Amino acid sequence: MFEILGRFFNFCDKENRRKFHLAMIIGVVNSFFMALRIAAVAVMISGIIRSLKDGVPFTANTIWLSFGIMSFSLVGAIITKKNMSMWQTEGGYRTAANKRIEIAEHLRYIPMGYFNKNSLGQITSVTTNTMELLGDVATRAVMLVMQGLLDSALIIAMIFFFDWRIALIALAGFGTFQFVNIFMRLSVRSLSVQKDKADTAQVSKILEYIQGIAEVRAYNITGKRRTELNAIIDQCKRTFIKMELHCIPFACIQSIIAKLAGVAIMLASISFYLNGTMHLSNCAVMLICSFMLFGAMESGGNYSALLRVIDIAVKKAEAILNVPTMKLISNEQVAVSNVGEVSPSATMASPFPPTPSAGTPRNAPGLSAKNISFAYDKKKIIDGVSLTIPEKSTTAIVGPSGGGKTTLCHLLARFWDVDSGEVTLAGKNIRDYDMDSLMANFSFVFQNVYLFHDTIANNIRFGEPDAPMERVIEAAKKACCHEFISALPDGYNTVIGEGGASLSGGEKQRISIARAIMKNAPIVILDEATANVDPENERDLMAAITQLTKEKTVIMIAHRLKTVRNADQIIVLDKGKIAEQGKHEELVNLGGIYSRFIDSRKKAVSWKL
C-alpha cells in the first residue's frame, strides 16, 4: 500500500506534491480534532456517573466544558476538512492537467516509430480516461485511505490513554483488517490489468469506428462494425462488473472484522468493568470508541481496492513519459541562424532561431545523408542511402510505391532517427541540434492535410499564434487562398471542422501552404502535395507552391511529370536504395526505372474520355 501511495505522490509534480503533503498534514490535525470527541464524551459521562454514583453535584461547568471541547472539535474538524479537501482536490486535478500537458509536450519529441507501435486508442486512453482517473478517483481514494489510516491510528492512540488492554484489542482488530485488505489488493491485481486493457480497447475501437464511419457506411457493413463495437463495450462492462463482484466478498469480510473488533472492545470493556478493573466512565467511553474505530477502519478499507488500479494508471502514464526522446546526443547545442551559419549556444534564450518577416526568406542550409539505413522493426526500409541536397536547390524523389520515399524525407527531418549513418544540416549532424531549433528550419506540406477545429486565421498562424492579421492575409494571398476565404460568411474568422472537413481538398492544401509560408523555413518538404488535387485547383495550388519554394531548399515526393522534370536533381528510390540519380534528361536516356515512370505518365495523360 505505502509503495503505491509513494509512487502516486512521486508521480505528482513538485508543486502539487506539496499540496498533497499539506493535505496530509491537515488530515492529521483533522484526525486529532475528530478524536477530541472522545474527550468531550468522556467529560460528560464522567460527570453524570460521579453525580449518580458518588453524589458529586453535576454542575453547569461540566456541561460547558464538554460542550466547549465538542464545539472546538467540530469547528476544527470542519475547517481542517474544508482545507484538506481543497488542497487534495486542487492537487489532483492540477496534477492530471499538468500531466496531460507534459505527455503532449513529450510526444512532440518521441520518434514517429513509437506511434506505429502504439495505437491511437492507447495514447488517447492515457490522456483521457487514465488522467481522469488520477484527477478524480485517485485523489479521493488516496486521501480517503490515508485519512482512514490516520483516524484509526489516532483513535487507537486515544484508547491507549484510557486503557492499554482495550487498545491492544483495537490494534489486533486493525491489524487483521489490514491483513485482509492486503489480500484484496493482491487479488484484484490481474483484474486491474484486465480493466485497463478493456478500457484501452474500448477507446481504440470507438475511435476506429468514428474515423472509419464513411467507409463503414459506404460498404454497408454498419451492422457488423456496430456488433464489434458493442462486443468491446460489453467486454469492458463485464470486466468492470467482475472486478466489483470480486471485491465484494473481501469488503464483506473487512466489514465483519471491523464490527467484530467493535464487539470485542465492548465485551472486554464491560467485562473489565464487572470485575472491577475498569471505571464505569472509561467503560462507557470505550463503548463509544468502538463505533468510531469501526467507521474509521471502513472508511479507509472501502477504497483501498482502487489503489491497484491507480498504480497501473500511474505506470501507464510513466511508460509514455519514459519513452526516450530525440533530444541532444552531444553536449553542444547549435542553432541555424538566418545567415546559414552554425553558432554554438549552450543556453538559448529561445529554442527557435529568429523569425524573419514572410517576405524575407532565410538562407537555406545544405542537407546531406551519409550511408543512412533505417528499419521498421526488422524490415529494412532505407538501405545505405547517401545524397547531398545543396542549399536553394530542388530535389525530386520518385520511385515505386513502398520504396521508402516518405521514410527518407522523415529521416532527413528527423521524424525518426537513422539506425546507422548520419544526416547533416549545414555540416552538423542533425542529432546535435536542439529539436525545436531543428524543426524551425523545415516546413512540410503533406498529401493528407490536417487542419484544426479553429478559425482559418488561427490555422494559418498555427506556428506563430501572435502573428498579426496583416501577415496572415499576406501569406494567404501568396498561397492563392485569400479569394475563397474572403468569400466565406465569416472570412478568416470562419471556424472549420476538425481535420478541415468543411473544406475541399485543394482548399485545405492551400491553407496548409499558407501556414508553411507563415513559418518561412529555409527547407520545404512536399510529400505528394498535388497528388489528390482536381484540375480546377491544380493551377492555384502550383502557384501557391511556387510562392512557398522561392529561394528555398526544396525536397519533393511527386508522381506528376510537370513537378519533377525541372528539379535540379532527381533521386529514384527503389527498395530502400538509390537506383538512379541525375537530371530529367539524363535519367530519361538511361532507359531505367525513371524512363519507364515517364512513359507510364505520358500514357496516362494521353487517355481521353
Side-chain angles (χ1 to χ4, degrees):
M1 177 190 295
F2 292 105
E3 180 185 357
I4 295 174
L5 293 173
R7 183 177 292 112
F8 173 75
F9 290 132
N10 289 332
F11 177 75
C12 302
D13 55 86
K14 185 177 180 180
E15 177 63 24
N16 290 304
R17 191 184 310 130
R18 186 181 69 85
K19 292 176 181 178
F20 278 117
H21 290 164
L22 283 173
M24 291 172 62
I25 293 171
I26 296 174
V28 173
V29 179
N30 177 263
S31 297
F32 170 75
F33 279 117
M34 296 293 286
L36 278 179
R37 293 176 298 176
I38 299 175
V41 172
V43 169
M44 183 63 72
I45 291 176
S46 295
I48 293 173
I49 291 175
R50 285 198 306 270
S51 175
L52 295 175
K53 187 177 180 181
D54 302 329
V56 178
F58 186 76
T59 65
N61 290 336
T62 302
I63 297 175
W64 283 112
L65 177 60
S66 177
F67 179 76
I69 296 174
M70 184 64 75
S71 298
F72 181 68
S73 170
L74 182 61
V75 172
I78 291 173
I79 294 173
T80 53
K81 181 68 173 179
K82 179 255 184 184
N83 285 285
M84 180 181 67
S85 298
M86 289 299 296
W87 282 117
Q88 73 184 45
T89 301
E90 187 173 340
Y93 284 116
R94 287 189 180 275
T95 292
N98 291 345
K99 287 299 175 180
R100 282 191 178 101
I101 295 172
E102 185 178 345
I103 289 172
E105 287 294 311
H106 189 76
L107 290 175
R108 291 175 56 202
Y109 303 104
I110 292 177
M112 291 297 292
Y114 172 83
F115 301 98
N116 292 332
K117 298 173 185 176
N118 299 270
S119 69
L120 179 61
Q122 181 179 355
I123 297 172
T124 304
S125 177
V126 171
T127 54
T128 54
N129 293 4
T130 300
M131 291 300 104
E132 179 81 15
L133 178 69
L134 290 176
D136 191 358
V137 179
T139 301
R140 286 167 171 77
V142 167
M143 295 310 298
L144 284 170
V145 170
M146 292 294 298
Q147 195 63 38
L149 291 173
L150 289 171
D151 287 346
S152 299
L154 278 174
I155 290 171
I156 293 173
M158 290 288 286
I159 294 175
F160 263 109
F161 178 79
F162 286 93
D163 193 295
W164 63 269
R165 297 168 298 178
I166 301 299
L168 290 178
I169 296 173
L171 195 60
F174 179 75
T176 307
F177 184 93
Q178 293 302 321
F179 183 75
V180 174
N181 191 267
I182 291 172
F183 271 98
M184 179 175 67
R185 293 199 305 273
L186 292 175
S187 68
V188 300
R189 178 181 295 176
S190 61
L191 288 175
S192 299
V193 175
Q194 292 178 29
K195 175 185 178 297
D196 176 68
K197 290 181 178 179
D199 183 62
T200 300
Q202 178 178 245
V203 173
S204 181
K205 182 58 69 174
I206 290 173
L207 284 172
E208 179 188 19
Y209 186 82
I210 294 173
Q211 291 172 336
I213 191 65
E215 285 74 15
V216 170
R217 294 183 65 181
Y219 287 92
N220 196 29
I221 54 174
T222 307
K224 179 182 178 183
R225 289 297 179 187
R226 190 177 60 205
T227 301
E228 293 177 0
L229 177 61
N230 289 344
I232 291 290
I233 294 174
D234 287 341
Q235 176 62 35
C236 192
K237 178 187 71 175
R238 287 193 297 269
T239 303
F240 280 41
I241 293 174
K242 183 179 179 181
M243 184 172 179
E244 291 294 329
L245 292 176
H246 192 80
C247 291
I248 287 174
F250 289 98
C252 289
I253 294 173
Q254 285 186 141
S255 180
I256 291 171
I257 290 173
K259 289 180 173 67
L260 288 176
V263 171
I265 290 173
M266 285 189 256
L267 292 176
S269 299
I270 294 171
S271 175
F272 293 151
Y273 167 69
L274 293 176
N275 63 25
T277 59
M278 179 182 286
H279 194 273
L280 179 59
S281 60
N282 285 357
C283 177
V285 171
M286 292 301 99
L287 296 179
I288 295 172
C289 285
S290 66
F291 289 99
M292 295 177 63
L293 180 62
F294 158 70
M297 288 167 62
E298 280 210 325
S299 174
N302 288 340
Y303 288 90
S304 59
L306 289 174
L307 292 180
R308 183 59 60 185
V309 178
I310 294 167
D311 190 41
I312 291 174
V314 169
K315 288 178 178 177
K316 280 181 65 178
E318 287 179 336
I320 293 179
L321 292 172
N322 290 334
V323 174
T325 58
M326 297 193 301
K327 282 291 190 180
L328 297 177
I329 61 170
S330 69
N331 293 326
E332 180 187 14
Q333 286 190 341
V334 290
V336 178
S337 69
N338 290 340
V339 294
E341 298 175 350
V342 179
S343 57
S345 56
T347 58
M348 294 180 287
S350 169
F352 297 98
T355 303
S357 64
T360 309
R362 297 182 180 125
N363 284 346
L367 189 65
S368 67
K370 301 176 184 178
N371 197 32
I372 62 172
S373 295
F374 177 77
Y376 291 125
D377 294 326
K378 296 181 181 179
K379 182 182 179 182
K380 183 160 283 191
I381 306 299
I382 299 297
D383 188 4
V385 169
S386 295
L387 58 89
T388 298
I389 302 173
E391 60 180 288
K392 298 184 182 178
S393 68
T394 298
T395 298
I397 302 175
V398 300
S401 179
K405 302 184 293 298
T406 298
T407 301
L408 177 59
C409 289
H410 287 169
L411 292 174
L412 294 175
R414 208 191 172 195
F415 277 23
W416 292 286
D417 274 329
V418 297
D419 295 333
S420 61
E422 67 172 3
V423 178
T424 61
L425 174 65
K428 290 286 184 179
N429 192 318
I430 60 173
R431 292 179 186 237
D432 292 334
Y433 289 90
D434 177 87
M435 199 62 171
D436 288 328
S437 296
L438 178 66
M439 285 296 102
N441 291 280
F442 288 90
S443 286
F444 304 88
V445 180
F446 298 110
Q447 177 180 355
N448 298 316
V449 177
Y450 190 89
L451 300 179
F452 296 89
H453 182 67
D454 204 340
T455 64
I456 290 178
N458 286 341
N459 268 280
I460 292 175
R461 60 160 70 98
F462 181 71
E464 296 183 56
D466 299 324
M469 198 64 196
E470 291 77 13
R471 286 191 58 201
V472 173
I473 295 174
E474 181 185 357
K477 287 180 177 178
K478 289 183 177 181
C480 300
C481 54
H482 174 71
E483 185 176 343
F484 85 79
I485 294 173
S486 299
L488 295 172
D490 295 320
Y492 284 86
N493 291 321
T494 300
V495 176
I496 58 179
E498 185 176 351
S502 57
L503 300 176
S504 70
E507 290 170 342
K508 288 192 291 184
Q509 282 285 16
R510 280 179 276 163
I511 288 177
S512 76
I513 291 173
R515 186 159 60 192
I517 289 173
M518 279 283 292
K519 186 176 182 182
N520 194 29
I523 301 173
V524 179
I525 295 180
L526 306 170
D527 189 350
E528 300 190 76
T530 63
N532 297 327
V533 178
D534 54 80
E536 290 78 10
N537 281 302
E538 184 176 6
R539 180 178 59 82
D540 288 339
L541 186 60
M542 294 306 298
I545 290 175
T546 300
Q547 286 291 331
L548 171 64
T549 57
K550 275 184 179 179
E551 298 295 315
K552 303 292 179 67
T553 301
V554 181
I555 305 168
M556 64 169 67
I557 299 173
H559 288 157
R560 298 195 177 192
L561 177 58
K562 65 178 69 177
T563 59
V564 174
R565 65 184 310 154
N566 295 324
D568 296 304
Q569 67 170 333
I570 299 168
I571 306 293
V572 181
L573 207 61
D574 184 28
K575 297 178 181 177
K577 295 178 179 289
I578 295 180
E580 299 170 6
Q581 183 174 357
K583 289 183 176 292
H584 172 74
E585 293 79 7
E586 298 170 351
L587 297 182
V588 168
N589 294 331
L590 284 178
I593 295 175
Y594 183 78
S595 179
R596 294 193 294 273
F597 163 77
I598 295 300
D599 288 340
S600 65
R601 291 298 175 269
K602 287 180 178 179
K603 290 177 181 178
V605 172
S606 68
W607 276 89
K608 303 290 183 182
L609 289 178

